[in-house]
């Protein structure tokens, strides 16, 4: 499983030397990659405002990650048999997510750098909230279409399935006075049926029952009777645990047409919904990475002070290497704050957005790729 860590260190001489040493160490092992994460100059504002924005960004990070997870999960559920193609469709700006992060470029048109941090946070909040609301609405609407079709196609043995492939026109007697009913009988009750069906009404045509079809558990029998006796026959059949099927070629044809219409409607809605999911997944993921950049900027100013002077790096590693990488980072950047709890390298990452629950000497944000199952 891959890990992405977004770290920030000041541009003092010692830290720059440590960064170069980190890159050399990573290049030797070839198990962890490191690249610069470019963040433009943003408006700092006053300190009190920055503290408030930092708190808001943390909450927004949790919300955005949740919406990404919901959107990705919805893609999995909607695409059904195409589950293996979900990651192919989970793109950001038309490229895979890893490429987008490692080659990140700030979108100044969407998130103008001249705006205060609070305004940029408001843009992302509005974007993510609207998408979450629309996702719920669209998912519910598509689920309704899907459930409607499934309810028609659902085949609970011979009691509800279509009989078009079983019944022929010559199997049915239809006249001014006579009609043919179809009755579902369990295999163990065949003999009981043959002995009793004529007694269900005096208007049953003697020896008119024929077995038309059977599966592993049940059979379909036809029986001819006078139309005036249909209600009486159904009541007696139900008392004997026999199921009388309502059937006519016209009714079956109408139901088949309705099934086809619903199937076509589902395919149309599927295409529309999948396209919406792809577009909006891309947008919310892009917003999330810009949000990470905002958090790095805000925390770097709060931690390292003014003038703004820091460097952001994106580290790509895996679970097995995480502990060793934390130890290396703790050693290389201990000079930034010797009192930080850098020695605690076995602490699990439980706080969304943050790479650690304890204070480190350097700034670090964790980009949770587990929810996307990136390779």
């Amino acid at each position: 499983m891959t890990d992405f860590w977004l770290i920030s260190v000041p541009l003092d001489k010692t830290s720059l030397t440590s960064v170069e040493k980190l890159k050399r160490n990573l290049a030797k092992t070839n198990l962890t990659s490191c690249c610069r994460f470019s963040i433009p100059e943003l408006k700092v504002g006053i300190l009190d405002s920055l503290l408030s924005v930092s708190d808001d960004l943390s909450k927004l990070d949790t919300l955005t990650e949740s919406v990404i997870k919901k959107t990705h999960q919805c893609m999995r559920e909607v695409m059904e048999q195409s589950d293996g193609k979900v990651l192919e469709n989970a793109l950001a700006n038309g490229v895979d997510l890893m490429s987008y992060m490692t080659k990140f470029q700030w979108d100044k048109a969407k998130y103008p750098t001249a705006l205060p941090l609070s305004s940029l946070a408001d843009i992302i909040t509005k974007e993510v909230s609207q998408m979450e609301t629309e996702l719920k609405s669209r998912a519910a609407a598509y689920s309704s279409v899907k459930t409607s079709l499934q309810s028609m196609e659902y085949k609970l043995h011979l009691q509800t399935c279509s009989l078009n492939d079983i019944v022929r026109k010559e199997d049915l007697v239809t006249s001014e006075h006579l009609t043919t009913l179809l009755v579902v009988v369990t295999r163990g009750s065949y003999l009981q049926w043959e002995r009793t069906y004529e007694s269900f009404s005096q208007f049953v045509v003697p020896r008119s029952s024929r077995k038309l079809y059977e599966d592993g558990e049940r059979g379909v029998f036809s029986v001819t009777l006078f139309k005036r006796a249909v209600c009486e026959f159904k009541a007696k059949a139900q008392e004997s645990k026999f199921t009388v099927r309502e059937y006519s070629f016209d009714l079956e044809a109408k139901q088949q047409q309705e099934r086809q219409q619903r199937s076509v409607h589902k395919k149309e809605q599927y295409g529309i919904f999948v396209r919406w999911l792809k577009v909006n997944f891309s947008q919310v993921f892009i917003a999330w990475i810009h949000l990470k950049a905002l958090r790095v900027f805000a925390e770097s100013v709060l931690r390292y002070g003014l003038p703004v002077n820091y460097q952001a790096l994106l580290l790509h590693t895996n679970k097995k290497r995480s502990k060793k990488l934390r130890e290396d980072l703790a050693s290389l950047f201990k000079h930034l704050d010797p009192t930080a709890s850098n020695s605690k390298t076995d602490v699990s990452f439980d706080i969304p957005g943050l790479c650690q629950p304890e204070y480190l000497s350097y700034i670090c944000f964790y980009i949770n790729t587990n929810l996307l199952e990136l390779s």
Side-chain angles (χ1 to χ4, degrees):
M1 191 64 69
T2 57
D3 279 342
F4 285 91
W5 298 0
L6 193 52
I7 71 169
S8 169
V9 295
L11 289 176
D12 60 79
K13 186 176 180 180
T14 304
S15 296
L16 289 175
T17 301
S18 296
V19 168
E20 292 305 314
K21 186 175 180 181
L22 172 66
K23 291 180 179 179
R24 289 195 299 270
N25 291 344
L26 298 181
K28 289 178 184 178
T29 61
N30 203 34
L31 293 175
T32 305
S33 64
C34 174
C35 64
R36 186 173 180 180
F37 190 83
S38 181
I39 302 175
E41 279 192 36
L42 300 170
K43 294 191 70 173
V44 175
I46 60 175
L47 181 60
D48 287 347
S49 173
L50 195 60
L51 286 168
S52 176
V53 169
S54 176
D55 185 52
D56 292 340
L57 291 176
S58 177
K59 297 174 183 176
L60 181 55
D61 195 343
T62 302
L63 170 65
T64 308
E65 182 175 319
S66 171
V67 174
I68 289 175
K69 185 174 182 179
K70 291 176 185 176
T71 308
H72 190 261
Q73 181 61 32
C74 195
M75 289 177 72
R76 284 186 173 277
E77 294 172 356
V78 170
M79 298 183 78
E80 297 174 347
Q81 301 303 322
S82 303
D83 187 64
K85 296 182 179 180
V86 173
L87 285 182
E88 296 177 17
N89 290 284
L91 305 175
N93 263 359
V95 300
D96 65 90
L97 305 183
M98 180 176 173
S99 297
Y100 179 78
M101 287 187 288
T102 55
K103 299 175 183 177
F104 174 75
Q105 291 184 333
W106 186 274
D107 187 344
K108 293 184 179 180
K110 197 171 186 180
Y111 308 107
T113 54
L115 293 177
L117 296 184
S118 58
S119 296
L120 293 175
D122 288 342
I123 291 174
I124 295 176
T125 300
K126 184 178 180 180
E127 184 180 5
V128 173
S129 298
Q130 285 181 344
M131 181 181 169
E132 183 180 33
T133 300
E134 191 170 355
L135 176 63
K136 291 178 182 178
S137 175
R138 285 179 175 266
Y142 179 76
S143 177
S144 177
V145 171
K146 181 179 174 183
T147 302
S148 176
L149 177 61
Q150 286 176 336
S151 67
M152 290 203 71
E153 293 180 336
Y154 183 61
K155 294 183 178 182
L156 181 62
H157 42 71
L158 295 176
Q159 286 162 321
T160 56
C161 73
S162 172
L163 299 177
N164 273 348
D165 298 331
I166 297 174
V167 180
R168 299 169 300 174
K169 285 191 175 182
E170 53 265 35
D171 294 325
L172 303 180
V173 175
T174 303
S175 68
E176 183 180 354
H177 300 291
L178 295 175
T179 188
T180 299
L181 298 180
L182 302 178
V183 183
V184 179
V185 182
T186 58
R187 290 180 67 91
S189 301
Y190 284 1
L191 185 58
Q192 179 190 355
W193 165 257
E194 293 290 352
R195 288 176 175 174
T196 60
Y197 78 90
E198 293 180 8
S199 66
F200 292 169
S201 172
Q202 61 177 323
F203 297 103
V204 174
V205 176
R207 296 183 297 280
S208 63
S209 178
R210 291 195 307 113
K211 184 172 67 177
L212 305 181
Y213 176 83
E214 69 177 349
D215 60 14
E217 299 178 357
R218 294 168 177 80
V220 176
F221 289 78
S222 65
V223 59
T224 303
L225 66 158
F226 282 82
K227 291 180 178 179
R228 67 166 77 174
V230 168
C231 291
E232 178 188 7
F233 184 91
K234 285 183 178 180
K236 292 291 182 64
Q238 186 175 6
E239 290 177 6
S240 299
K241 309 300 182 183
F242 300 131
T243 303
V244 179
R245 283 289 308 268
E246 295 288 345
Y247 183 87
S248 73
F249 288 109
D250 291 341
L251 178 61
E252 285 289 317
K254 183 179 179 180
Q255 290 177 340
Q256 181 64 22
Q257 183 180 18
E258 187 177 354
R259 279 193 293 269
Q260 290 174 348
Q261 290 174 344
R262 292 191 186 187
S263 180
V264 169
H265 183 54
K266 182 199 170 188
K267 288 179 181 178
E268 291 174 348
Q269 294 304 308
Y270 171 86
I272 293 171
F273 193 26
V274 167
R275 286 192 293 273
W276 184 90
L277 286 169
K278 289 169 63 176
V279 169
N280 285 271
F281 176 86
S282 174
Q283 291 180 355
V284 75
F285 188 85
I286 289 170
W288 192 40
I289 302 305
H290 279 77
L291 175 58
K292 293 290 186 184
L294 286 177
R295 295 196 69 188
V296 169
F297 177 83
E299 294 303 320
S300 296
V301 173
L302 289 171
R303 179 81 70 91
Y304 307 135
L306 294 172
V308 178
N309 194 34
Y310 70 96
Q311 177 173 287
L313 300 171
L314 183 68
L315 305 179
H316 178 208
T317 184
N318 57 58
K319 290 291 184 182
K320 294 181 180 179
R321 288 283 301 164
S322 294
K323 184 176 180 179
K324 179 64 169 61
L325 180 59
R326 296 257 335 251
E327 291 173 349
D328 291 345
L329 291 171
S331 175
L332 288 169
F333 299 107
K334 185 176 181 180
H335 66 280
L336 294 175
D337 190 345
T339 64
S341 55
N342 290 303
S343 59
K344 299 180 182 179
T345 58
D346 58 345
V347 179
S348 60
F349 306 151
D350 295 326
I351 299 180
L354 279 176
C355 170
Q356 74 290 331
E358 82 278 16
Y359 174 78
L360 300 176
S361 60
Y362 54 93
I363 293 169
C364 179
F365 291 100
Y366 177 59
I367 301 177
N368 180 14
T369 61
N370 294 352
L371 56 89
L372 304 175
E373 297 181 11
L374 288 174
S375 58

